[in-house]
Structure formats: C-alpha cells, structure tokens
Amino acid sequence: MLQPSETGPVEAGRETRSTTLEHATDPAAAPATDTGGLASLFEVDPGARGARDVGQRHATLRPRELERPPLVLRLVSGASKAVLMVALLWGLFFNFSEVRGSSMRPGIQDGDRILVDHVSYMFEDVARGDIVVLRYPLDPTVDYVKRVVGLPGEHIEIFRGQVWIDGARVEEDYVAEENLDPWAVVDTVVEPGHYFVLGDNRLRSSDSRDFGQVAEVYLRGKVRARLWPAARVGLIH
C-alpha cells in the first residue's frame, strides 16, 4: 500500500488511484476498476470543454479585422468616390460651351469657353441683363448666346441705336458704341412667359429683332464665367 506523503495532504485524485491499485488483485476485474480510476484521473469537466469549444468557435468567427486595407488605401478610395460624385453632379448642373461667332463682342468673343449654369433658374427668376444660352426658336437643335433685355409684360422700343423700356432709356455699358445699330426699329410688348433678347454686338447679331421673342422653355441656362482663354478667365456680367 502506498503511503501518503509525510510533507502534506494527498490530492484527491492521487488518493483514489492508490486505493484502486491496492485492491486490483483479480486480473479480470482490473480493467473495470482501473477504468474507473483512470476516468477519475483524466475526466474533463463537460462545462469547461463546452466553454472551450464555444470560445474556439467564436475565435474562428471573429471579423477579420487584421485583413482590412491600409488607412492610406481607404482614404484614397474614399476621395476617389467623392471626386466621382462631384463630377457627376457638376455634369448635371453645369456644362462647358464653346462660343462660335462675334454677336456678343466685346464681352464674349469667338472661341471663348464659357461655363453655363443650368440650375439657377429653378430657384430664381430671369433678370434683365442676364446672359443666357437658349435654343434658337427656328431650330431648337442650335444654341445661341444672348442677353436678356425685355421681361414679360414690358414695352420695348428700339430706335437710333438705343433701347427704351416702358418709356425709359436703358443704359447699356456692355455695348460698345461702334457696335450700335442705328437703323434697327422695334416697337413691341413682351408676351407672358417670353423674353426679348439681343446680342451685345448689335451690328452682327441675329436676335429677337429677327426671330422674335423667346419662350421661357427655350432658356437652357445662365452664363456664369469664361474659362478660356487663360488671359481672360473670369466672371461674365
């Protein structure tokens, strides 16, 4: 018989094993008895095993955070998406156009690249003096650039190169004196929902003096700025 250690108490598992070995004299009975002893020695708490298995499954199913792209790549990706969104919105609200002809000299000249705003007139009224891109009433597939001079309901008169609205002469500092047309004569009232437009170069412009008043639905947008040539970049008034 194995004796307990003199230095202190014997652990429960080892004490059980000592008792079993002492009584295992029958070889046929030994396996059954020993099985119980070994089960006691190597038994694993089911609760502990279950917790360990759950922990392993959770560890396997954790998000793969370590495989996320580097911060720099994520920032570049986000910036690219933002630029693309801005470009799409810009394309919806604005567009660039190239001017052909000299009917708006000296402010806008042949070959100028202009920025056209398609949104403003959704929120504000057309004003006298606005430079607009419009569909040519006689051929809506063609765009013209003109200046709004007469508003709905106004009485427009033109003679001796001067424009009169409701009996008052209009100051037009955007028209060069050499571009005035002293032979044009107009006397008309602007219809509701229409505008009277003129080119700043009156001697070289086809406008409401020729093709009549322009319906509001033909106005495509307001000219905001000149983007080319570089020496003349700026806002257009």
Side-chain angles (χ1 to χ4, degrees):
M1 179 177 179
L2 297 178
Q3 298 296 326
S5 171
E6 297 180 356
T7 59
V10 178
E11 296 179 7
R14 293 183 181 179
E15 185 179 7
T16 301
R17 183 180 180 186
S18 300
T19 305
T20 302
L21 291 177
E22 182 182 8
H23 294 86
T25 55
D26 184 355
T33 305
D34 190 45
T35 300
L38 291 176
S40 301
L41 289 173
F42 299 103
E43 182 178 7
V44 179
D45 182 2
R49 182 187 297 113
R52 184 164 56 250
D53 292 344
V54 171
Q56 291 175 349
R57 288 198 297 271
H58 286 178
T60 302
L61 298 175
R62 288 179 61 191
R64 304 172 65 181
E65 296 180 357
L66 297 179
E67 297 185 10
R68 296 179 64 187
L71 177 60
V72 173
L73 292 181
R74 282 184 281 136
L75 290 176
V76 171
S77 176
S80 300
K81 293 177 181 178
V83 170
L84 179 60
M85 182 62 67
V86 170
L88 291 174
L89 292 176
W90 182 278
L92 291 174
F93 298 152
F94 301 91
N95 82 280
F96 304 107
S97 296
E98 181 177 359
V99 177
R100 293 298 184 189
S102 59
S103 69
M104 290 297 291
R105 288 178 61 92
I108 300 176
Q109 302 181 15
D110 183 43
D112 283 0
R113 270 69 167 181
I114 56 176
L115 176 65
V116 183
D117 170 8
H118 297 288
V119 180
S120 291
Y121 290 145
M122 297 180 182
F123 306 100
E124 62 184 42
D125 294 332
V126 179
R128 188 187 341 277
D130 286 355
I131 298 178
V132 299
V133 171
L134 57 95
R135 291 186 174 90
Y136 178 40
L138 304 182
D139 182 1
T141 63
V142 178
D143 287 341
Y144 275 17
V145 181
K146 301 297 173 185
R147 188 183 297 273
V148 175
V149 174
L151 304 178
E154 293 182 336
H155 180 203
I156 308 296
E157 296 176 279
I158 300 177
F159 59 92
R160 295 181 181 178
Q162 302 297 317
V163 177
W164 300 72
I165 296 179
D166 293 336
R169 189 169 69 88
V170 179
E171 296 291 340
E172 299 182 291
D173 54 4
Y174 43 79
V175 179
E177 186 174 355
E178 62 270 18
N179 292 335
L180 293 173
D181 181 2
W183 299 284
V185 177
V186 174
D187 188 349
T188 186
V189 175
V190 183
E191 300 174 10
H194 288 70
Y195 298 91
F196 194 91
V197 300
L198 294 172
D200 290 352
N201 186 359
R202 303 289 160 78
L203 290 173
R204 298 288 185 271
S205 175
S206 174
D207 45 43
S208 288
R209 295 172 298 175
D210 304 308
F211 52 71
Q213 302 169 21
V214 178
E216 186 172 8
V217 295
Y218 279 5
L219 300 184
R220 295 197 57 200
K222 182 177 181 179
V223 178
R224 289 291 187 181
R226 181 188 302 103
L227 303 179
W228 188 262
R232 301 175 58 239
V233 170
L235 299 178
I236 295 178
H237 302 287

